[in-house]
Structures are given as structure tokens and as C-alpha cells.
Amino acid sequence: MIELFITDIDGCLASPYEAYDLTGLDTLRRLPHEADTAPALTLCSGRSYPYVEAMTQALALTTPVLFEAGGGQFDPVAAQTAWSPHLTDEVEAKLRTVERWFATECVPGTQISIDHAKRTQTGVVSPKGDEIRALRPQAEQFVAEETPGLHVFATDISVDVVPPGITKRDGVEWLADRLGLALDETAYIGDAETDLEALNAVGTSFAPANADATVRAQVDHVTEGTVLDGVLEAFRYCRAQNDS
């Protein structure tokens, strides 16, 4: 049985900087409650706590969710937040060093902005893909020279710097352990490089049709639909598998 269905937000529930499909989100909100065989629904996103908490409320979720790519866990029933045990004072100091470099050397004169409100990682976003593509190798060089041990990940709109032990895979393992689930009882849908380790860890993996080619090549199933349509398709597939 697939007991838990985990979805990323950007590229899965919505496209960055585009309007939400409110009808589709309402459909997703209802799906876990339409049959006893439906898996529980939760989120795993690189976004900060306030954004993920808002999405949790919009979807009326009761299962704990993951934010900051597994760096934090929020329980919507108890209204409690927990932080990864891998977050140490030394790690936080390194992250703040990278954040200062982003602010002073990368942001001025561009449309790049700091991805605010994050604690367990640091990053920047931009609506201009060419700025992100140019920044990634610069960030990799800075991290290698000034804050070794941290890792650089990128999407079409962001560059994120994260510590070891704080990845979406680590977050999924942390959440599964809390819920008393084996990883093969979980399904995950993601679209970007930052999702790959989690996708490879779970029992059933999905990518929406809009996912990066490297992601589509490694998952169990690529949906016909894009973004939220793909998530709805994947969730219904899991429920049908449980029915059978």
C-alpha cells in the first residue's frame, strides 16, 4: 500500500510567478478524503516555513509537512515546528557567510533577490533564467573556497546552498520515521534536480511532464499532465494501485 503521497510545490502544485489553479488545488484538497484507500497527502518544498505553512492550510493538510528542503518540519495539527538535527551553530555561521556574499556581490544591478526567511539553507531567486544560470558556477566556486562542505543546487529560478544532511531525501526519511512508515510505502512527485535523491529513495516516484529531462529519466512514472494536472494524475494512480 502507498500510505503517503508527497509533492513538491514549485513546478508541481504551481508554476513560479504564475497564478494558482484554485480549482485544481481544491480538487487535490478533497482527494485524500474520497476513499479509504487514498494515501495521506503532504508537502516537501525548498520554500521557507511561511509559504509552506500557507499551502498546508490551503490544502487542509493534517500530516506534517517539510519545508526548506527537509530542513524543517511543521505539524499542522499541533502547530509545532521542528528543525533538522543536522543544523548546528557552525553550519548556520557558514550559511550566513554565503548569504552576505549573495547580498553584496550577486544582488546589486540584477533582478536577483535573497530568498528570505530561511534558516537551514540560503538562496536567491530571479525571474530571469539567464541570471540564475550565470550565478550557479559562481556560487559553486565561492562555496568550495569559502564554506566547504555546503552544497549548491539550482532550479530554473533559484540557486540554493544547503548543508550536508539537510536534503529532501533526509527530510523524507525523517518524516517517514516520525510516521512509522517504510520508504517503500511512500510516493513522491518532483520536477527538479533538488528532488532526485528523494525520488530515488521512495517506493513510487513520479515527475510531471514539465519536469527536467534528468528527472523524467530517473522516475518510475512520468505523467501526461503538467504541473498540478500531473500531481492529480499521480495521486489518482496511487489510489488505484491501493484499490487493486
Side-chain angles (χ1 to χ4, degrees):
M1 294 286 286
I2 300 170
E3 301 288 352
L4 183 66
F5 182 91
I6 307 168
T7 178
D8 186 19
I9 296 179
D10 290 322
C12 290
L13 297 187
S15 295
Y17 306 113
E18 294 185 11
Y20 292 116
D21 174 1
L22 297 179
T23 300
L25 288 174
D26 187 57
T27 299
L28 182 61
R29 178 180 66 85
R30 296 172 185 273
L31 280 179
H33 310 288
E34 290 182 351
D36 292 339
T37 53
L41 174 65
T42 191
L43 305 173
C44 180
S45 173
R47 292 276 197 158
S48 62
Y49 164 76
Y51 188 95
V52 176
E53 194 277 334
M55 292 297 295
T56 300
Q57 186 174 349
L59 292 169
L61 302 181
T62 56
T63 302
V65 299
L66 298 164
F67 59 93
E68 294 189 26
Q73 191 179 121
F74 172 63
D75 183 338
V77 175
Q80 295 292 307
T81 298
W83 298 98
S84 169
H86 297 285
L87 184 66
T88 65
D89 291 342
E90 180 184 3
V91 164
E92 287 203 71
K94 286 186 175 183
L95 290 170
R96 300 294 79 81
T97 295
V98 178
E99 193 171 85
R100 287 191 293 272
W101 176 74
F102 277 143
T104 58
E105 302 297 327
C106 305
V107 170
T110 72
Q111 292 189 41
I112 295 171
S113 60
I114 300 293
D115 193 358
H116 295 288
K118 290 186 175 182
R119 180 184 176 190
T120 65
Q121 60 177 275
T122 188
V124 293
V125 295
S126 173
K128 298 183 66 176
D130 57 338
E131 290 184 337
I132 294 299
R133 287 188 290 272
L135 177 58
R136 177 174 183 169
Q138 298 175 38
E140 289 173 336
Q141 180 177 350
F142 179 84
V143 165
E145 294 175 353
E146 304 295 333
T147 58
L150 302 184
H151 303 293
V152 179
F153 294 97
T155 70
D156 291 340
I157 64 160
S158 67
V159 172
D160 295 300
V161 179
V162 301
I166 301 181
T167 67
K168 289 187 175 181
R169 175 173 182 150
D170 294 299
V172 168
E173 292 175 342
W174 182 25
L175 179 59
D177 182 65
R178 173 175 180 167
L179 298 175
L181 297 175
L183 287 179
D184 62 7
E185 295 177 293
T186 65
Y188 187 103
I189 183 167
D191 71 303
E193 173 192 9
T194 51
D195 298 300
L196 276 174
E197 289 187 354
L199 287 165
N200 290 329
V202 299
T204 310
S205 59
F206 299 89
N210 56 285
D212 294 346
T214 53
V215 176
R216 297 198 308 271
Q218 295 189 44
V219 297
D220 299 322
H221 308 280
V222 178
T223 65
E224 293 184 6
T226 60
V227 197
L228 183 53
D229 287 338
V231 173
L232 294 170
E233 182 183 331
F235 190 94
R236 289 178 173 127
Y237 175 92
C238 292
R239 187 177 66 185
Q241 289 296 106
N242 287 347
D243 287 339
S244 66

